[in-house]
Amino acid sequence: MDFKTVIEGLTTNKVDSKLIEQLEKEEELQKILFNLNNEEKEDLIRKITLFAKSDSKKDTKDKNDVYIPVLNKLDFVHCDFTGVGSEWDGPHYGLVWEVNPRFDAVTIIPATSKKRKNYANIIPVGKILGLPKGDTSLLVSDMTKVSRRRLEPVTFNHYTKGVIRTRLQNKWIPSIVEAVALTYGNETTLEEFITQRTIVSMPEDLEDLRSKRFKPVKARYDRENNIMEYRIWNQDNWHSLNMKNPNTQINKSVKIKLVKELLSEDLSVREEAERKYFELYH
């Protein structure tokens, strides 16, 4: 079976004849394809096609050497990734985080509408006009640089303004900055410090733990006086938490499990954890 027949037999749509002609010359690629099963071959051809479409796009700039279309921070874009292994692959939505109008590379935060567990570097931003139905989350941990050739601005038809860009509100910037600090700046969350650095002690009041769980902090623990002090990583004001030791001897693993359950998304788990907390610490 010739190479053209193999490729066309793998795809539901006719492959571009020029692409086939070019691929037929690549002996190394032919060897790779013939050692793959049909599903793997289909996936590889898809990636080659997607990469070729992105790479063949022509750059467009204005008289000031600024790329067109202009991309702005907090614009949502459609990205064509061609990843290997656990890298991002295929079409996905993303958020423009850093962009220079004269540079090709754009820093993108991938977005997803799939339900994700709460983590310090996953930011739920709710429903976004112009994106798929459901709540959107930003995956700061997967932030990456992408060529403009892989990107297309996302637009939607606004009921009064007409066709406009899909954008994230500025109010989310501090949360993203904090997630970046935690992911790439090795900062520590309030939850991590309380869990790992205060032995078996717990805050007398849980409000700060609940409301500032994922805040990056600079903190210290005075074991003798059982007081924890902290400040938000980029602020100067210090806050104090009165800590309490348990009424009975426990090991640290019990406390770690308790903190996790106190912050659970499951209401019944949280309620049972609160009962245990008051039983142990009050």
Side-chain angles (χ1 to χ4, degrees):
M1 185 181 295
D2 62 54
F3 191 57
K4 179 177 179 179
T5 304
V6 171
I7 296 178
E8 290 192 338
L10 289 170
T11 56
T12 55
N13 299 313
K14 289 289 184 181
V15 179
D16 186 275
S17 60
K18 291 182 180 179
L19 175 61
I20 295 176
E21 184 179 336
Q22 186 63 37
L23 292 177
E24 284 180 317
K25 299 175 183 178
E26 301 295 334
E27 293 184 6
E28 189 63 31
L29 178 59
Q30 291 188 46
K31 292 177 183 178
I32 293 171
L33 282 168
F34 279 106
N35 287 321
L36 300 177
N37 63 41
N38 280 354
E39 184 178 344
E40 292 168 334
K41 290 174 183 176
E42 177 78 30
D43 189 51
L44 182 56
I45 294 298
R46 177 190 60 78
K47 289 183 179 182
I48 292 172
T49 304
L50 188 60
F51 177 84
K53 286 180 178 178
S54 296
D55 193 56
S56 62
K57 287 182 179 178
K58 302 299 183 183
D59 292 333
T60 305
K61 297 182 179 181
D62 65 15
K63 62 182 181 181
N64 296 315
D65 202 35
V66 171
Y67 277 93
I68 299 172
V70 173
L71 295 176
N72 297 300
K73 185 170 186 170
L74 302 188
D75 280 348
F76 277 100
V77 290
H78 189 272
C79 309
D80 284 329
F81 293 101
T82 48
V84 176
S86 60
E87 297 173 351
W88 280 81
D89 185 49
H92 290 279
Y93 292 100
L95 180 77
V96 174
W97 182 240
E98 290 181 349
V99 59
N100 185 306
R102 292 184 173 85
F103 290 176
D104 172 61
V106 180
T107 301
I108 297 295
I109 300 174
T112 181
S113 58
K114 295 180 179 178
K115 176 68 175 174
R116 298 292 182 110
K117 289 186 178 180
N118 286 334
Y119 287 106
N121 49 23
I122 296 179
I123 304 175
V125 294
K127 293 177 174 59
I128 303 293
L129 291 175
L131 295 189
K133 292 181 180 179
D135 292 338
T136 295
S137 293
L138 303 178
L139 309 181
V140 177
S141 57
D142 292 347
M143 185 167 64
T144 186
K145 284 190 177 294
V146 178
S147 167
R148 288 173 182 265
R149 296 182 185 183
R150 296 183 183 271
L151 306 177
E152 288 291 340
V154 178
T155 61
F156 72 101
N157 194 6
H158 191 274
Y159 68 99
T160 59
K161 300 178 181 179
V163 177
I164 61 173
R165 293 274 182 97
T166 296
R167 288 182 50 80
L168 186 69
Q169 293 179 324
N170 288 341
K171 69 179 183 180
W172 293 105
I173 290 178
S175 297
I176 298 174
V177 170
E178 290 172 356
V180 170
L182 291 165
T183 306
Y184 303 101
N186 296 318
E187 299 294 338
T188 301
T189 66
L190 183 67
E191 177 188 356
E192 288 174 324
F193 191 90
I194 290 174
T195 301
Q196 301 294 337
R197 305 284 291 278
T198 62
I199 317 175
V200 293
S201 292
M202 284 285 287
E204 190 175 88
D205 188 327
L206 297 176
E207 177 57 31
D208 281 20
L209 175 59
R210 288 173 173 147
S211 62
K212 301 177 183 177
R213 173 185 183 183
F214 292 137
K215 291 288 185 182
V217 298
K218 303 293 186 183
R220 55 197 179 213
Y221 174 53
D222 180 349
R223 183 176 182 181
E224 182 177 348
N225 295 304
N226 215 10
I227 294 176
M228 174 184 157
E229 295 180 313
Y230 74 90
R231 65 175 177 84
I232 306 302
W233 70 294
N234 59 354
Q235 298 178 12
D236 296 326
N237 296 332
W238 285 85
H239 309 271
S240 294
L241 289 178
N242 292 323
M243 305 295 286
K244 295 196 71 173
N245 289 318
N247 301 322
T248 185
Q249 187 173 354
I250 62 171
N251 59 42
K252 191 174 180 180
S253 63
V254 173
K255 173 200 166 175
I256 292 173
K257 183 173 182 290
L258 180 60
V259 172
K260 181 179 179 180
E261 291 174 349
L262 282 167
L263 300 171
S264 171
E265 295 180 52
D266 187 320
L267 177 59
S268 62
V269 173
R270 289 202 310 273
E271 289 176 342
E272 177 59 21
E274 288 174 8
R275 187 192 64 78
K276 291 179 184 177
Y277 164 77
F278 282 105
E279 182 180 287
L280 280 172
Y281 289 93
H282 287 275

